[in-house]
Amino acid sequence: MNKINFDQIVSSKPDTFSYVTLPKKEEEKVPEQGLVSVPQYPFREQKEDFTFVSLLTRPEVITALSKVRAECNKVTSMSLFHSSLSKYSRLEEFEQIQLQILSQVQMFLKDSWISTLKVAMRSSLRDMSKGWYNLYETNWEVYLMSKLRKLMELIKYMLQDTLRFLVQDSLASFSQFISDACCSVLDCTDDMVWGEDLINSPYRPRKNALFIVDLVLDSSGAHYSTPLEQFEASLLNLFDKGILATHAVPQLEKLVMEDIFISGDPLLESVGFHEPLVEELRAIIANAVRKAMIPLQAYAKEFRKYLELNNNDINTFLKAYQTKCPLAQEVREVVLTHLQEKEILDNSLPSSIVIGPFYVNTDNIKQSLSKKRKALATSMLDILAKNLHKEVDSICDEFRSISRKIYEKPNSIEELAELREWMKGIPEKLVGLEERIVKVMDDYQIMDEFLYNLSSDDFNDKWAASNWPSKLLGQIEMVRQQHAEDEEKFRKIQIMDQNNFQEKLEGLQ
């Protein structure tokens, strides 16, 4: 149509389109007949030959093949592995999940699938008891020449093809599953250093982490609850078991041809261990897992600086302070240091972190180190409380000694005079004791600063020591009154003694 329009426009305006030269038209020859002649072809003979060798000439065979194809499609839609896990798990749990799927698929292939195929074949061909598709044939030689033999061979290759696609797709899916989790660590070098930031991870998986591991600190160093070398071995073992899962599926021929003896248990062929694709996928998984170990080990190395704190007990850290009596200010500085270190630990260590395919649980270490710092601070306060309690006991003992002394009963005016002379030195002693009490109370302020919970005995003794000066002054006042009474009593006794002595003298005269 375009050519007709173009030619018409150019021809109608030759001046305008003088530069355009139309091609010469060739006259078309009108055919003598309305048919296209074709060479002679033996169609009938060719059709008969094709029909003789073709399997698709009977509806029963087509039905059987359709049923087999439907069952094969079900298998190709399955997977040997669980490649869509939404939650991380321990390596043992991961293995159990994958092995359970493998076991289920393997059992389905060996039992349910083959049984269903057998029923489909026999139900489709059971009415063809004579001819090419005789299910009840007993002669092996005749069976080899029949179309049923060719049909069984075709179905065998269909089943083997199905198993091959199942294994290849499953292995590829499993390999991609691992690669997606390790995608961010594939460029890590063997000498990498993690750095100071232990909370944020630059190595995130494409979807979800696969494995959970606990970071452990002990006498052997910083390591993980599951040895890292087990991951590669476990994943490659699962990979190989996925291949083996289809190596024990029986052929259908022996089950369908029940009246012919077939020795042994012929099995369907499947994917081999050393096929190029299998080797390539296995190498991808091994490389991905090895690369994932590099940042994981680098992260663990950053925790070596906490080994001393984690592995040594509290007595080791406090040994120097337990053998001497540290000053309260020194204790305060040590306690502040431990509490500051505790806060640094709480802010610098995460409860968990994701590194490639691994969800690393560090909460146990964080809590342990934080509690250790808190315990060290509390133990230092315990030492201070113990020393203060000794000082308070010493002060109270001196007050009790003074109290007992002033309550001693004088038996003579001389003893009374001596006791009064001794009591004149009490105020001087009180000054020294009160200074010690003030110092102890100041030291107890440090305990209060850290909200230390004193025991009942410590609390009672603390306030008993604080109350002793006023209590002793009250006792002194009472004793002075008693001494005045004693002095008067001794004076009267002395007068009586003098009078008696005077009377004796007068009696002697």
Side-chain angles (χ1 to χ4, degrees):
M1 178 62 74
N2 291 335
K3 183 178 183 305
I4 295 174
N5 292 333
F6 181 80
D7 292 348
Q8 183 179 359
I9 293 172
V10 171
S11 300
S12 62
K13 299 179 180 180
D15 296 335
T16 304
F17 301 102
S18 59
Y19 54 87
V20 178
T21 303
L22 295 175
K24 294 182 179 180
K25 295 182 179 180
E26 295 182 0
E27 294 184 2
E28 296 181 0
K29 295 182 180 180
V30 179
E32 296 180 358
Q33 298 178 347
L35 300 175
V36 178
S37 61
V38 295
Q40 292 294 324
Y41 181 76
F43 176 77
R44 189 177 300 278
E45 291 80 359
Q46 292 293 335
K47 179 184 177 183
E48 291 175 355
D49 292 341
F50 177 79
T51 303
F52 182 77
V53 298
S54 175
L55 300 176
L56 305 178
T57 57
R58 297 292 298 270
E60 294 88 347
V61 175
I62 296 174
T63 300
L65 290 174
S66 298
K67 291 180 179 180
V68 171
R69 174 49 59 194
E71 293 301 321
C72 290
N73 289 341
K74 291 180 183 179
V75 172
T76 53
S77 65
M78 300 171 69
S79 178
L80 295 170
F81 302 101
H82 197 324
S83 301
S84 58
L85 293 173
S86 59
K87 188 177 181 181
Y88 44 79
S89 59
R90 301 283 178 185
L91 179 60
E92 296 79 7
E93 297 174 9
F94 181 85
E95 287 180 331
Q96 186 177 2
I97 292 171
Q98 301 299 343
L99 290 175
Q100 185 177 3
I101 297 294
L102 281 173
S103 177
Q104 290 175 354
V105 175
Q106 186 176 22
M107 188 174 298
F108 172 78
L109 293 176
K110 292 173 63 176
D111 297 332
S112 301
W113 190 49
I114 292 297
S115 298
T116 303
L117 291 172
K118 172 188 173 182
V119 171
M121 287 294 297
R122 293 190 66 84
S123 63
S124 299
L125 304 178
R126 63 188 174 187
D127 295 331
M128 303 173 67
S129 58
K130 300 292 183 179
W132 291 113
Y133 300 99
N134 183 12
L135 290 176
Y136 310 102
E137 182 62 61
T138 58
N139 190 313
W140 177 254
E141 299 297 333
V142 174
Y143 170 69
L144 289 178
M145 294 184 294
S146 67
K147 283 189 176 183
L148 182 57
R149 167 68 174 179
K150 295 179 181 179
L151 177 61
M152 296 308 301
E153 283 292 305
L154 173 61
I155 291 176
K156 182 184 75 171
Y157 290 125
M158 289 173 63
L159 301 185
Q160 291 180 167
D161 188 61
T162 299
L163 294 181
R164 174 167 288 274
F165 275 109
L166 170 65
V167 174
Q168 289 180 345
D169 291 347
S170 297
L171 295 181
S173 176
F174 187 65
S175 175
Q176 188 63 45
F177 177 55
I178 302 300
S179 298
D180 286 344
C182 302
C183 63
S184 58
V185 301
L186 297 179
D187 296 329
C188 294
T189 57
D190 293 337
D191 58 348
M192 76 161 287
V193 177
W194 183 270
E196 295 296 327
D197 187 0
L198 300 177
I199 296 179
N200 300 308
S201 170
Y203 307 106
R204 306 288 299 184
R206 189 164 292 163
K207 294 180 181 178
N208 302 308
L210 304 182
F211 308 106
I212 178 173
V213 291
D214 297 325
L215 185 59
V216 179
L217 296 182
D218 55 26
S219 57
S220 61
H223 58 92
Y224 293 95
S225 55
T226 304
L228 298 184
E229 60 272 9
Q230 290 186 9
F231 287 95
E232 180 181 352
S234 175
L235 292 177
L236 293 181
N237 183 47
L238 288 173
F239 185 88
D240 292 340
K241 285 185 176 180
I243 299 174
L244 285 174
T246 59
H247 280 198
V249 181
Q251 291 187 15
L252 196 59
E253 184 178 37
K254 184 176 181 179
L255 301 175
V256 173
M257 303 304 297
E258 297 177 348
D259 296 333
I260 294 181
F261 173 74
I262 300 177
S263 63
D265 294 311
L267 302 177
L268 294 173
E269 295 181 5
S270 184
V271 176
F273 282 103
H274 301 291
E275 294 186 11
L277 177 62
V278 173
E279 295 285 2
E280 179 184 352
L281 294 176
R282 185 184 286 112
I284 290 174
I285 293 176
N287 178 66
V289 176
R290 288 171 193 158
K291 287 291 186 180
M293 301 302 163
I294 296 175
L296 205 62
Q297 292 169 337
Y299 187 76
K301 289 179 181 178
E302 298 297 327
F303 282 79
R304 290 178 180 176
K305 57 188 176 184
Y306 301 115
L307 285 174
E308 182 181 2
L309 174 62
N310 184 79
N311 294 340
N312 293 328
D313 58 13
I314 294 176
N315 292 330
T316 302
F317 288 102
L318 303 181
K319 186 176 181 180
Y321 298 103
Q322 290 173 339
T323 55
K324 66 176 184 178
C325 295
L327 298 176
Q329 284 300 323
E330 183 181 358
V331 171
R332 181 178 182 274
E333 291 175 1
V334 174
V335 171
L336 283 175
T337 299
H338 286 305
L339 293 180
Q340 288 170 358
E341 289 294 329
K342 176 184 181 299
E343 185 175 357
I344 291 173
L345 284 172
D346 292 339
N347 294 329
S348 62
L349 296 184
S351 297
S352 62
I353 188 172
V354 175
I355 304 175
F358 299 100
Y359 177 92
V360 182
N361 177 26
T362 58
D363 189 57
N364 292 335
I365 289 179
K366 179 180 179 180
Q367 296 300 328
S368 175
L369 295 176
S370 180
K371 289 178 181 178
K372 180 69 74 69
R373 285 294 182 187
K374 178 66 176 177
L376 286 170
T378 303
S379 297
M380 284 299 300
L381 292 175
D382 290 340
I383 293 175
L384 179 59
K386 182 179 178 181
N387 294 335
L388 291 179
H389 185 71
K390 289 180 180 179
E391 178 67 9
V392 167
D393 280 346
S394 175
I395 293 172
C396 290
D397 286 343
E398 293 196 30
F399 274 110
R400 292 189 191 99
S401 176
I402 295 173
S403 179
R404 286 193 298 270
K405 181 70 175 176
I406 64 176
Y407 273 114
E408 289 181 358
K409 193 73 173 176
N411 296 319
S412 63
I413 191 65
E414 291 80 5
E415 291 182 2
L416 178 60
E418 183 181 346
L419 186 57
R420 281 178 169 175
E421 186 65 27
W422 178 82
M423 288 177 63
K424 291 179 181 179
I426 290 179
E428 184 178 350
K429 292 181 179 180
L430 283 179
V431 171
L433 290 173
E434 286 178 345
E435 289 177 354
R436 291 172 64 184
I437 290 174
V438 170
K439 184 178 182 305
V440 167
M441 292 302 165
D442 290 341
D443 292 345
Y444 271 116
Q445 288 295 323
I446 294 176
M447 310 286 285
D448 295 337
E449 178 184 348
F450 297 108
L451 304 178
Y452 183 83
N453 188 19
L454 292 173
S455 66
S456 298
D457 292 340
D458 287 349
F459 183 81
N460 293 333
D461 291 346
K462 168 188 172 183
W463 292 110
S466 177
N467 189 48
W468 261 114
S470 59
K471 179 180 177 181
L472 189 61
L473 291 176
Q475 290 177 353
I476 291 174
E477 187 63 32
M478 292 174 59
V479 168
R480 281 176 178 167
Q481 295 177 5
Q482 182 64 41
H483 284 178
E485 294 177 1
D486 290 342
E487 182 181 5
E488 180 64 24
K489 183 182 71 171
F490 288 136
R491 189 181 66 79
K492 291 179 179 180
I493 291 173
Q494 186 178 16
I495 292 173
M496 289 176 62
D497 289 343
Q498 287 177 351
N499 292 336
N500 291 335
F501 182 71
Q502 185 66 34
E503 290 177 358
K504 286 182 181 181
L505 286 177
E506 291 176 354
L508 291 175
Q509 292 178 356

